[in-house]
Amino acid sequence: MAYHHGNLREALIERAAEVIAERGIEALSLRALARDLGVSHAAPSAHFPDRRALLCALAREGFRRSVDTMNAGAEAAGPDPVARYRALGRSYVQFARDNPSYFRAINHPEVEALQDDELQESRDAWVATLREGVEIAQAAGWHPEIDVETLLAFSCAGAMGAARLLTDSTWCSMFEVEDLDALADSVLDLVVHRSRTSVIPIPEDQRRVS
Amino acid sequence: MAYHHGNLREALIERAAEVIAERGIEALSLRALARDLGVSHAAPSAHFPDRRALLCALAREGFRRSVDTMNAGAEAAGPDPVARYRALGRSYVQFARDNPSYFRAINHPEVEALQDDELQESRDAWVATLREGVEIAQAAGWHPEIDVETLLAFSCAGAMGAARLLTDSTWCSMFEVEDLDALADSVLDLVVHRSRTSVIPIPEDQRRVS
DNA sequence: CCTTCGATCTTGACAGCGACAAGATCGCCT
DNA sequence: AGGCGATCTTGTCGCTGTCAAGATCGAAGG
């Protein structure tokens, strides 16, 4: 065994993601992480001064990956601005369900209370992604009567609320829906439901309302 | 000083709410709580077997109070079903902003992961309150074309997302809005914006879109 | 009255954790 | 060769949650 682990920082993040996905952020311990990786209890401190710093790194990675996922989803949605906007929200929810550890890190109160410039940059990038989608859709004639800031705030609230609802079995089980994916689509469809009146109509086969 | 505190259980909840409001759930410690109240470090265990049980009690109280606040808001909104529905969401956001400690307890992942029948009852009551508002509004002709489960899920996601956005300064500061209350109204207005096309139109002076 | 019993509170102890300090080991650069 | 910074180790501290065993109180019943 080498004295230097060699890649401890990334190994910590990777193992932390596993633990969080399995047992939640509350069960995350720097010492246990060090044990799992076969290093001494204080080794992580060389890379993360404290527990919060590790969670912060997780959250930053989560924001970065979710932005990538959202952009890829928008790209795959084709040229229609409203379809791209829809895809942004949909992709975020999908990311949240596929990556519970990053999603939990992003939304954990301990991380939220953290004042960190780099973390705030990551958050800004996430909002900017959504803002771009809103602005492009609006420029194409989507709800010109509504203030863009209001539309953006609504989009953020909708995406965050939907992701929260659909990643937590406690909440999901309260709705009489068998297919979780169908519910996800329905919620996100409603978020942009008003686009039915936009200059670019939603194709019939993409509507979820009957 | 009496050997028995006399009202330790409620005193613990009250003090815990203060600490959470000031420094967050992460800063909550049973021992510190006991010190603050002048009892021994293990006294709380007579009322709460572990830390989670205390948070669970906080969350239950939070659900109970928020339901009361929502119902009171709906009552004050008058007879119109859509106005009452609007008031439900609005009142919840107001409750979240007025009672950060209860709101944080409700939404903390440590509490969410908790499987507790009584807690689930409280959650059910909260959803039932929203469900009743949706059903009554729909019975009055509000969006008959949309499945009630979908409308409910959307209402939950909207209320939770809006409350989350508007109780966290980190997120609030990202929107170019000076007046937080105006943003809250705008977000919630958009949630029910589609009611413009309902059989019961929203009064002109209640619309936030220009 | 007084005894018993359950609820409540105390004292004591233990392991795990985050954090800090001091020192050891390694790769790298001059 | 030698220094230097990054990385890792060992040791320690106080704090926390949790458990166990015992003390105190109020109330209920003989």
Side-chain angles (χ1 to χ4, degrees):
Chain A
M1 165 96 65
Y3 189 86
H4 282 62
H5 180 280
N7 204 9
L8 184 55
R9 183 189 161 90
E10 293 175 16
L12 282 168
I13 292 182
E14 187 177 350
R15 178 65 188 143
E18 291 177 15
V19 172
I20 292 174
E22 290 171 8
R23 296 182 293 142
I25 284 188
E26 325 304 322
L28 189 69
S29 137
L30 288 179
R31 288 177 105 106
L33 238 48
R35 275 195 301 271
D36 291 349
L37 298 177
V39 294
S40 73
H41 64 202
S45 68
H47 303 276
F48 304 103
D50 57 11
R51 195 186 118 104
R52 289 181 167 187
L54 173 58
L55 290 177
C56 182
L58 261 295
R60 297 223 308 136
E61 180 69 10
F63 276 119
R64 198 187 63 74
R65 293 194 183 197
S66 67
V67 165
D68 288 348
T69 302
M70 289 160 73
N71 281 330
E75 201 61 32
D80 177 80
V82 174
R84 295 173 75 91
Y85 167 80
R86 290 161 60 98
L88 286 179
R90 232 178 265 266
S91 301
Y92 177 67
V93 173
Q94 196 58 46
F95 171 83
R97 299 180 63 197
D98 291 339
N99 304 80
S101 52
Y102 290 119
F103 182 68
R104 289 174 185 168
I106 286 176
N107 293 91
H108 198 273
E110 194 172 344
V111 174
E112 261 171 4
L114 205 57
Q115 295 194 357
D116 180 276
D117 289 344
E118 292 187 334
L119 177 60
Q120 190 57 35
E121 276 180 21
S122 305
R123 245 190 296 253
D124 288 340
W126 187 85
V127 174
T129 303
L130 218 47
R131 181 188 293 271
E132 190 184 357
V134 170
E135 286 176 347
I136 292 178
Q138 198 174 41
W142 188 65
H143 299 307
E145 79 282 9
I146 302 180
D147 175 42
V148 63
E149 289 297 321
T150 301
L151 272 179
L152 177 60
F154 179 61
S155 301
C156 287
M160 290 166 59
R164 175 113 156 44
L165 217 63
L166 295 163
T167 48
D168 192 323
S169 62
T170 297
W171 288 99
C172 270
S173 62
M174 308 184 73
F175 306 100
E176 299 169 1
V177 179
E178 306 81 18
D179 187 2
L180 218 64
D181 293 307
L183 181 60
D185 282 354
S186 297
V187 169
L188 283 169
D189 269 333
L190 270 181
V191 171
V192 292
H193 187 271
R194 292 177 62 246
S195 61
R196 283 203 301 177
T197 62
S198 96
V199 295
I200 303 172
I202 300 176
E204 186 71 34
D205 62 290
Q206 289 188 21
R207 298 184 197 172
R208 275 301 186 288
V209 297
S210 56
Chain B
M1 165 93 68
Y3 187 86
H4 282 62
H5 180 280
N7 204 10
L8 183 56
R9 183 188 160 89
E10 292 175 15
L12 282 169
I13 292 182
E14 187 177 349
R15 179 63 187 144
E18 291 177 15
V19 172
I20 293 173
E22 290 169 8
R23 296 181 293 144
I25 283 188
E26 325 304 323
L28 189 68
S29 138
L30 286 179
R31 289 179 106 105
L33 237 46
R35 276 195 298 272
D36 291 349
L37 299 177
V39 294
S40 73
H41 65 201
S45 68
H47 304 276
F48 304 103
D50 57 9
R51 195 187 120 105
R52 288 181 167 186
L54 173 58
L55 291 177
C56 180
L58 261 294
R60 298 222 309 135
E61 179 70 10
F63 276 120
R64 200 187 62 76
R65 293 195 185 198
S66 66
V67 165
D68 287 348
T69 302
M70 289 160 73
N71 281 330
E75 200 62 32
D80 178 79
V82 175
R84 293 173 77 91
Y85 168 81
R86 291 161 60 97
L88 286 179
R90 228 178 268 268
S91 301
Y92 177 66
V93 172
Q94 195 58 47
F95 171 82
R97 300 180 62 197
D98 291 340
N99 304 80
S101 52
Y102 289 118
F103 181 70
R104 288 174 186 171
I106 287 175
N107 293 92
H108 199 272
E110 195 172 342
V111 175
E112 259 170 7
L114 204 57
Q115 294 194 358
D116 181 275
D117 288 343
E118 293 187 332
L119 177 60
Q120 190 57 36
E121 278 180 21
S122 305
R123 245 190 297 253
D124 288 341
W126 187 84
V127 174
T129 303
L130 218 48
R131 182 187 292 271
E132 190 184 357
V134 170
E135 286 176 348
I136 292 179
Q138 198 173 40
W142 187 65
H143 299 309
E145 80 281 8
I146 303 180
D147 175 42
V148 63
E149 288 298 319
T150 302
L151 272 179
L152 177 59
F154 178 61
S155 301
C156 286
M160 289 166 60
R164 175 113 157 43
L165 216 65
L166 296 163
T167 47
D168 192 323
S169 61
T170 297
W171 288 99
C172 270
S173 62
M174 306 183 75
F175 306 101
E176 299 168 1
V177 179
E178 307 80 19
D179 187 3
L180 219 63
D181 293 307
L183 181 59
D185 282 353
S186 297
V187 169
L188 282 169
D189 270 332
L190 269 181
V191 171
V192 293
H193 188 270
R194 293 177 62 244
S195 61
R196 284 204 299 179
T197 61
S198 94
V199 294
I200 303 174
I202 300 177
E204 187 70 35
D205 63 290
Q206 289 188 23
R207 298 185 195 167
R208 275 299 187 287
V209 298
S210 55

